[in-house]
Amino acid sequence: MSYKAEYIWIDGTEPTARLRSKTKILADGAELPIWGFDGSSTNQAAGTSSDCVLKPVFSCPDPIRGGDNVLVMCEVLLPDMTPHPTNTRALLTPVAERFADQEPIFGIEQEYTFFKEGRPLGFPAGGFPAPQGFYYCGVGADEVFGREIVEAHLDACLKAGLAISGINAEVMPGQWEFQVGPVGPVEVADQLWVARWLLYRVAEDFGVSATLDPKPVKGDWNGAGAHTNFSTKAMREGYDAIITACEALGEKAQEHIAGYGAEIEHRLTGSHETAPWSEYSYGVSNRAASVRIPWQVEVDKKGYIEDRRPNANCDPYVVTRLIVDTCCTALEKAGQ
């Protein structure tokens, strides 16, 4: 007997990396080995020295193929077994390990947009649908588009054992969101990348593509983000730590903006529930701020914060590394 292992990795496309995958057949019971690929075809190597290495780091049941088949998230290494320059996971893991005693956890809200025949699902040919207003969490064929794909993706994520915690229709037609977490920084990033792969793969069967473009339609339409909810043990126990984290994010605001996804300035305009990319702010129940403190957190004087700046096309390995490093360093210095 044998089983299929779908090896998934992040390529070197700039400014936004893409997912790649290929299948390996393994003997029943065999462990997942390292594998290789042609880096010259993925923007990760020159043709004269093209070999790159895939190192399995996370696996889960394959809900598409079923049976004993698995999905395998991989890090990309150079032939000398050192991390490839595009391997952002390798930069996250030491930061996560350093601050593990603070127990950082994340929940990431992944927004995305379905496209078919060159336009968002639900947009009429050669025109625009009714203005935003009724699509968010809507119901009915005139308000939501692509629900059958969303439900199939949700079922696939659940069968894969991913920590998916919800779905909802978003503000623009054809735009949806799923949430992953709450889990640790490395776990949330691994699982979000696999959930993205499943989104693309499931949509294939419907003849629809999914995009993480942060501003898929220009004009008076919401962009697509990856709002990132974060807390540490101290934040879950006291409000002072919440404020420390918010202040720390402000001190490194532009460093974070630079790592939160390409073309972020197209989305963070100060309109459509965003703060301007060039300004930092935080506030209670404020979706026009860079960082929102949920109202219940202020009432309870403990909980979590929501960084609303990351783009839909962000690399979660980068986002979680930046947030953990910035906030946990500040909390450590404050003795919180």
Side-chain angles (χ1 to χ4, degrees), residues 199 217 272 329:
L199 175 66
V217 180
H272 305 107
T329 297

Side-chain angles (χ1 to χ4, degrees), residues 285-307:
S285 196
N286 186 356
R287 283 180 165 78
S290 308
V291 173
R292 178 179 68 95
I293 301 173
W295 68 270
Q296 192 66 49
V297 172
E298 186 186 44
V299 170
D300 295 341
K301 298 302 177 186
K302 61 182 180 180
Y304 68 98
I305 59 175
E306 177 196 43
D307 192 334

